[in-house]
Amino acid sequence: MFPMDLDKIIIISIISVTALIACLFIAVNIRRLVKYLSYRKLDIARENYEVMFRQFLQQQACIDYNSFNVKKNSTEWKAIEDVLFHAITDKRATEEVVTQIFDRLGYVETYIEDLVKGKKHRRALAADKLGRLKAPQATEYLIGALNDHERDVRTVAARSLGKIRDLRAVEPLIDKLVLSAQDPQLLPLRVVKTSITNFYENAFPFLIPILKHSSWRVRGQAADIIGEISDSSTVRHLLPMLGDTEPDVRIKAVKALGKIKRSDAFQPMARMIDDPSWIVRLQVAKTLGNVGGSQAVPHLVELLSDLYWQVREAAVKTISSLGSIANPELLKALLLLKDRYAREQVIEVLLTTEILNNQFDMLCSADLKDRETASLLLVAAGNCGAWDIIAKAVREHKNPRVRRMLVHVIKLIVNDDAENILRMVSENDSDRDVREAACSAIENASLCL
C-alpha cells in the first residue's frame, strides 16, 4: 500500500506543479496583453490629440477647451499631457502657450494638489512637471516643498524653482544653500547652486552678505555661484576673499575672479603664486592667464619651478593657451632667468607646445619685429636645451627659406655639434641657397677661430 500511495502523491505533485506553471504562464501573458492594449490605447489617443492640438499650438486657431475636458488620470488625460510636453521639448510651441493650455485644462491645479497631498513619487513628479511648465503660480508650493521630509522631493522642488525664476524663490534657495553647505544630506549642493545661478544678478543682494558667513563652506559656495554668474560688479566683494583663512575659499575666489576676467584682479591674484597651499597655487596657475594675458607669463614661469608637478603642468597648459602673446615674455624669461632649473622648465614648456614650431615659420614673416623675436627666441632656446629640435628643423623643415634662416640662428648658438650640423646641411640640402648659407657660416666660423 505504501508504494502505491507514494506514486499517487508524486503524480498529484506533478499535476499540481504543471497546473501552477500553466496558471502563471497564463497570468503573465494576460498581464502583457493588458499592458499592450493599454499602451496601444494611449498611442492611439496621442495620435488623435496630436492632430487636434496642432493648429492650437501654432496659434492658428482658438482652442475650444470644452472639447478637451477629460477625466483626470485617464488614458486621454495622459495622452494630452504627453502631447503638450512633447510640444515644449520639440519646440513646436512656446512654453507660454503650452503652460496656458495646461492651466486652463486643470493640469497645473492637479500638479499642485499632488505636490501638497500626494505620495512621495507623485510629489516629486508634480514638482518636476511644474518646473518644466515654468508655472509661477506654483512658486509658493514649491518653496514649501523645499521642507518636504523626502530628500528627492526637496531636490526636484529646488531644481524647478530655478527653472521658473520667480524672484520670490531667491531668498528661500539661499537659505537652503547655507544649510546644505553645512549639511550636504539636506539637498544636493549642485542642484541648489544651479537654481540660484539662474537668477543672475537678482541673487546678489542675498549672496554677497554670506561671503562673510562664519562657515567657510558657505563662503566658498557663495563665491562659486558668483563666479558662475560672472558679473564684474562683484569683484570688489571677491578680492578680500583671496586672503581668507581657508584654502578652499581662496580657491573658489580665484576661480570666480578668473571667470569674471577683470584686469584689476590681476595683481592680487599674481601675489598668490606664493600661497602656502599648493592647491591654491594650482588654481592660480589655471586661472591667471584669463585675468592678466601676457602679463601673467612671468608669474607662470615662476610656477614652473613649483614642487608639485600638478602646479607645473597647469602653468604649462596656461602658457600654451595664451599662444603667441606669451612669446615675448618667454623670451625675456630665457634671457633673464639666472636659475638653470627655471630655464630648463621654460624649455620644457616650449617643447611640449607648438610655440617653437611656430617660431620656425615666423622667421619668414613679413613683419620685421616678428622675425627678430622668433630669431632671438630660437637662439635662446637652443642655448638653454632645445638644440635637438632646432638641429632637426634645419635639416628637415619643408620650407627652404626657413632652413636658410635657421642656418643664421645656429651660428649664434653655442653647441659643440653646430659645425657638424652646418656641414651636413652644406653637403646634403636640396636647396642651393641653403647649402651656400651653410658653407658661408662654416667659413666665417673658421675665420673667427
Side-chain angles (χ1 to χ4, degrees):
M1 289 294 292
F2 184 75
M4 181 63 68
D5 290 342
L6 182 59
D7 290 343
K8 287 182 178 179
I9 292 171
I10 292 172
I11 292 170
I12 292 171
S13 298
I14 292 172
I15 293 172
S16 299
V17 170
T18 303
L20 183 61
I21 292 172
C23 290
L24 184 61
F25 177 79
I26 293 169
V28 168
N29 280 279
I30 289 174
R31 184 180 179 185
R32 286 179 178 175
L33 179 61
V34 170
K35 280 189 174 182
Y36 169 78
L37 293 174
S38 175
Y39 290 145
R40 180 59 185 156
K41 183 179 178 182
L42 181 60
D43 288 340
I44 293 171
R46 284 195 193 110
E47 292 172 4
N48 292 335
Y49 284 115
E50 185 74 48
V51 174
M52 295 172 68
F53 273 111
R54 189 168 296 153
Q55 289 185 327
F56 305 137
L57 293 174
Q58 295 173 356
Q59 294 181 289
Q60 295 177 349
C62 294
I63 186 170
D64 178 13
Y65 288 101
N66 292 326
S67 61
F68 297 99
N69 187 15
V70 297
K71 184 179 178 182
K72 290 183 180 180
N73 300 319
S74 63
T75 299
E76 291 75 14
W77 174 275
K78 174 64 176 171
I80 292 173
E81 183 181 55
D82 288 349
V83 168
L84 293 176
F85 273 123
H86 285 154
I88 295 176
T89 304
D90 299 340
K91 297 182 178 179
R92 289 183 284 110
T94 63
E95 291 173 347
E96 292 77 12
V97 170
V98 176
T99 300
Q100 183 182 7
I101 296 174
F102 265 117
D103 192 23
R104 290 289 301 274
L105 293 177
Y107 283 83
V108 173
E109 183 181 349
T110 300
Y111 296 153
I112 291 174
E113 185 178 341
D114 287 344
L115 178 63
V116 174
K117 300 179 181 179
K119 293 183 178 180
K120 172 186 173 181
H121 176 71
R122 293 191 72 85
R123 295 200 305 277
L125 193 60
D128 177 65
K129 290 174 179 177
L130 289 168
R132 290 169 66 186
L133 291 176
K134 299 182 180 178
Q137 62 267 48
T139 298
E140 61 178 298
Y141 300 99
L142 288 168
I143 290 173
L146 292 175
N147 297 314
D148 195 281
H149 60 275
E150 293 289 347
R151 188 173 190 262
D152 290 345
V153 178
R154 297 196 298 269
T155 301
V156 179
R159 184 183 294 117
S160 292
L161 285 169
K163 293 177 180 177
I164 296 172
R165 298 180 186 176
D166 188 321
L167 295 181
R168 290 176 293 170
V170 180
E171 189 171 7
L173 285 170
I174 297 290
D175 291 341
K176 292 303 175 185
L177 172 72
V178 172
L179 296 173
S180 300
Q182 300 170 88
D183 178 15
Q185 292 304 312
L186 181 66
L187 275 168
L189 273 172
R190 177 182 53 80
V191 172
V192 183
K193 288 164 65 177
T194 300
S195 289
I196 294 172
T197 301
N198 288 339
F199 289 92
Y200 300 103
E201 67 277 2
N202 291 312
F204 289 158
F206 304 96
L207 278 172
I208 289 173
I210 63 173
L211 290 174
K212 298 179 181 179
H213 196 275
S214 58
S215 168
W216 64 266
R217 291 183 174 85
V218 174
R219 297 196 300 273
Q221 297 302 334
D224 212 21
I225 296 172
I226 288 174
E228 289 297 324
I229 298 173
S230 298
D231 190 292
S232 60
S233 66
T234 59
V235 170
R236 62 190 179 91
H237 300 286
L238 291 170
L239 286 175
M241 302 185 74
L242 296 178
D244 198 277
T245 55
E246 285 293 331
D248 185 71
V249 177
R250 299 199 297 277
I251 289 169
K252 287 182 167 59
V254 168
K255 188 176 179 181
L257 289 166
K259 289 180 178 178
I260 296 172
K261 300 180 181 180
R262 271 277 295 270
S263 58
D264 51 348
F266 171 67
Q267 289 299 334
M269 285 177 59
R271 289 193 287 270
M272 297 184 72
I273 63 172
D274 296 319
D275 193 278
S277 169
W278 74 268
I279 305 178
V280 175
R281 298 197 301 275
L282 173 64
Q283 188 60 53
V284 172
K286 291 179 177 179
T287 306
L288 201 56
N290 291 344
V291 180
S294 61
Q295 297 181 75
V297 177
H299 305 282
L300 292 167
V301 167
E302 288 192 50
L303 290 174
L304 294 175
S305 303
D306 198 275
L307 293 175
Y308 288 84
W309 67 265
Q310 295 95 329
V311 178
R312 298 195 298 271
E313 182 181 67
V316 167
K317 289 181 178 178
T318 301
I319 292 172
S320 177
S321 69
L322 291 173
S324 61
I325 65 170
N327 294 347
E329 292 296 338
L330 282 173
L331 172 59
K332 188 184 297 183
L334 282 174
L335 296 176
L336 299 180
L337 280 174
K338 295 180 180 179
D339 183 79
R340 178 180 175 182
Y341 178 73
R343 289 199 305 271
E344 289 175 352
Q345 291 300 312
V346 174
I347 293 300
E348 280 193 27
V349 173
L350 296 173
L351 293 176
T352 56
T353 67
E354 290 298 313
I355 292 176
L356 273 183
N357 287 330
N358 292 338
Q359 300 317 298
F360 297 142
D361 295 326
M362 294 303 292
L363 288 171
C364 298
S365 171
D367 189 295
L368 175 61
K369 186 176 180 180
D370 286 343
R371 295 199 303 272
E372 289 177 346
T373 299
S375 180
L376 286 170
L377 183 56
L378 290 170
V379 170
N383 284 324
C384 295
W387 165 254
D388 289 345
I389 190 171
I390 296 171
K392 181 180 179 182
V394 77
R395 298 193 307 268
E396 300 179 7
H397 200 282
K398 294 180 180 180
N399 188 340
R401 291 180 60 204
V402 170
R403 298 199 302 274
R404 182 161 55 84
M405 295 299 295
L406 281 171
V407 167
H408 299 295
V409 168
I410 287 175
K411 286 194 303 183
L412 302 174
I413 295 175
V414 180
N415 191 283
D416 293 339
D417 196 37
E419 186 174 342
N420 292 333
I421 293 296
L422 290 172
R423 195 172 301 282
M424 187 183 302
V425 172
S426 70
E427 295 172 355
N428 301 318
D429 198 276
S430 59
D431 186 89
R432 185 180 68 179
D433 291 340
V434 178
R435 294 196 302 271
E436 289 179 356
C439 286
S440 177
I442 295 169
E443 290 172 3
N444 289 339
S446 298
L447 288 173
C448 290
L449 291 173

